[in-house]
Amino acid sequence: MSTIRLGDEAPNFTAQTTEGEINFHKWLGDHWGILFSHPADYTPVCTTELGTVAKYKVEFDKRNVKVVALSVDGLESHKGWVKDINETQNTAVNFPIIADEDRNVATLYDMIHPNADNKLTVRSVFVIGSDKKVKLTITYPASTGRNFDELLRVIDSLQLTAYHKVATPANWNNGDDCVIVPAVSNEEIPNLFPKGHTEVKPYLRLTPQPNLN
């Protein structure tokens, strides 16, 4: 069983999906990605989750993020379930769902936790950068649906901090002030952060979000 840690390369795989066969790395291309698993088709919490992701596609597109779901059910089951999702959630599923009946991908990404269920996948989330490196992992129990607003918030932070020498403080949202990382000296601040900064403590320096006009 794999143990995937932050900074590891996301394992590549080829799989059948509701939108045809994909090679994961080629499918991602230069996009960021979210790979998330759900325990089974025709289950209530998963139905609401996949409907929510479909409605959020425009937000993921803005962030150059591709989304792909997975369960250990088969392709025909997925296709039938998509009709239910579209009907009950008033949407149209617009991303691929991996059919992982042989559990190859679930095993590769350690999505089956025997103490929770020895057959079905837990609610795993992997956020993957355009460099194919794992940037975030979250695991939920089957009983708890995911908060996709939080995933958007995290992606905003990950993309901001990947390209600017800042970190995001507690409860940060897009547009809030950021923390200047300790590696940046006070002498470097004017060039790196022309909007100015506030020094709360020598180790706690705040600056307006640098990638906003």
Side-chain angles (χ1 to χ4, degrees), residues 102-117:
D102 56 12
R103 294 170 173 75
N104 280 347
V105 181
T107 301
L108 197 61
Y109 279 81
D110 193 19
M111 292 172 168
I112 296 175
H113 295 189
N115 288 336
D117 191 300

Side-chain angles (χ1 to χ4, degrees), residues 17-108:
T17 81
T18 50
E19 296 185 0
E21 183 177 276
I22 64 168
N23 174 283
F24 187 49
H25 282 191
K26 289 182 180 178
W27 177 79
L28 281 176
D30 62 358
H31 294 76
W32 286 58
I34 294 177
L35 169 63
F36 72 108
S37 57
H38 51 270
D41 294 356
Y42 298 102
T43 51
V45 175
C46 302
T47 299
T48 65
E49 287 188 324
L50 270 68
T52 298
V53 171
K55 292 174 182 177
Y56 277 39
K57 187 174 187 298
V58 65
E59 293 299 325
F60 291 121
D61 287 347
K62 285 180 189 176
R63 293 161 173 83
N64 192 38
V65 175
K66 284 187 167 184
V67 179
V68 60
L70 173 148
S71 90
V72 295
D73 291 311
L75 203 55
E76 291 308 309
S77 174
H78 285 355
K79 289 178 178 178
W81 183 38
V82 163
K83 295 177 183 177
D84 282 5
I85 296 168
N86 293 342
E87 175 191 344
T88 64
Q89 306 305 303
N90 192 30
T91 190
V93 171
N94 45 25
F95 55 90
I97 306 172
I98 295 168
D100 194 36
E101 288 180 287
D102 56 12
R103 294 170 173 75
N104 280 347
V105 181
T107 301
L108 197 61

Side-chain angles (χ1 to χ4, degrees), residues 149-163:
D149 287 322
E150 168 62 5
L151 282 180
L152 288 174
R153 188 192 77 88
V154 167
I155 289 166
D156 285 339
S157 173
L158 289 168
Q159 293 183 339
L160 168 66
T161 58
Y163 305 120

Side-chain angles (χ1 to χ4, degrees), residues 111-123 139-142:
M111 292 172 168
I112 296 175
H113 295 189
N115 288 336
D117 191 300
N118 62 5
K119 294 181 180 178
L120 302 180
T121 51
V122 291
R123 296 187 195 284
T139 302
Y140 297 75

Side-chain angles (χ1 to χ4, degrees), residues 142-204:
S143 58
T144 301
R146 285 162 278 217
N147 184 325
F148 291 94
D149 287 322
E150 168 62 5
L151 282 180
L152 288 174
R153 188 192 77 88
V154 167
I155 289 166
D156 285 339
S157 173
L158 289 168
Q159 293 183 339
L160 168 66
T161 58
Y163 305 120
H164 299 274
K165 295 182 178 181
V166 293
T168 54
N171 294 338
W172 176 88
N173 284 293
N174 198 27
D176 292 347
D177 285 355
C178 303
V179 174
I180 299 171
V181 298
V184 173
S185 69
N186 286 336
E187 291 73 25
E188 294 174 290
I189 288 176
N191 285 332
L192 291 174
F193 305 106
K195 296 177 184 179
H197 79 288
T198 301
E199 185 175 293
V200 182
K201 291 286 184 182
Y203 59 86
L204 178 54

